[in-house]
Amino acid sequence: MQQLAETSILNRLAADEVNLCSAARLEQRSSTRLIDADLTVQKLRPHFPHLGIVRLAEVTGLDRIGIPVWMAVRPNSKTLAVSQGKGITTAHARASAVMEAAEIAIAENIPLASVRASRQDLLQAGRTVFDGRMLVMKGADEPAPELIDEWLEGYDLLRNRTVFVPRELVSLDFTSARKARHYCQSTDGLASGNCLLEAVIHGLCERVERDATELWRFKRDSAVHAQCVDPAVFPDAGIRWLADRISGAGFLLRLFDIRSDIGLPVFMATINPVSRKGTYLHFDLSAGYGCHLSPRVAAMRAITEAAQTRITNISGARDDFDPSEYAQRLAPDLGVYIRAEPRAHWHFDEPEPSEPARLDAYLDPLRNRGIGSAVVVPLGGEAYGMSVCRVLINELESPAGIRKHRFGGRALNAMLLQ
């Protein structure tokens, strides 16, 4: 078995951190990026045919709120044919849609060679193998230890060692032609960026966000009310503009601080009509989530995602929509978000401009809570001027899927505490 370059990923991340810290600016309206949103799209546009992207469309006008939302279409996708992006500006929303479409396209056809070996062979050779039991599909089992499988090389950022991860686990293929069916495939922790560190930070934030969202589901109504935040506590012109667009269109914005014990800022935003004749329907309430080292950026992500959710519901563009959902009544337990009133005691401190570009700023909260492993698997994309990765953190909770094990230890503890 060939000798692996143990520090190659760390070297890339260290170089990226220097560049990202240099690019950080106080006036940035979104998260730190190596290059701006318009240039990101310009660089990727020549590669659209290879990525299967045939159309970009602005869909902001489908809703009367006016928060920018774009979509990117890939008709031959192995997953969903439509990716959507949101942002504080048209440029951010367009880049968001393009990057999401591109990262999924790369995960569907990972342009990296696999290591063919059995789990048993890797362990006997002294290699570390990812524990995929929490991501096994319902009705399936992990491959037998002696079964020859395909593996990709990842790196555990907390244990500082190379980890082999089953290729099937980080690939995306929802078609009937999928070769193996051991692991539940999803986009949870899948992320992209102009460099590997951008992608890793986005992936880490998404995993922390998804964990917080799952734990939040067990909160009592009184706890939900207590975490309702007035968006006006943020001295930010972008958040004020978002709130004004929503209220001016006749909708109610509610923002909730849902961070978990990990400590990274996580927000949930909901949008619903101010008044509704009769019973609220399922799609009358839309929600969005956001996580980032900057509370301001996390809140902005949650609000723009809630607006994107509305347009997704209006357009019906998602392949996995059930048309019957449009006639469903809003679940009674979700009424708490409509009834919640903001509390006035909130104050959020912002990090220094370069701090969100530092990898340890996202890893230290995990270390401090005893999380022992955070594996990043680079998936390619450099040929297109971008980087795609998948972040896997077994000890954090994952969103509902078709996994054999629905809840992990953190969710079970949250249930017991209610």
Side-chain angles (χ1 to χ4, degrees), residues 135-141 181-182 184 401-405:
L135 298 173
V136 169
M137 290 177 64
K138 189 179 297 184
D141 294 299
R181 294 192 177 271
H182 297 286
C184 178
I402 54 171
R403 297 187 312 281
K404 178 181 290 188
H405 305 290

Side-chain angles (χ1 to χ4, degrees), residues 159-209:
R159 293 178 176 167
N160 295 313
R161 63 187 183 189
T162 297
V163 179
F164 282 91
V165 178
R167 187 184 185 102
E168 179 202 358
L169 193 154
V170 294
S171 299
L172 288 178
D173 185 355
F174 297 170
T175 71
S176 59
R178 179 174 162 184
K179 293 180 180 179
R181 294 192 177 271
H182 297 286
Y183 298 102
C184 178
Q185 294 186 347
S186 85
T187 60
D188 183 31
L190 178 67
S192 59
N194 294 295
C195 62
L196 181 59
L197 181 57
E198 274 189 30
V200 170
I201 288 174
H202 284 297
L204 287 169
C205 284
E206 181 166 281
R207 287 297 295 117
V208 171
E209 173 197 306

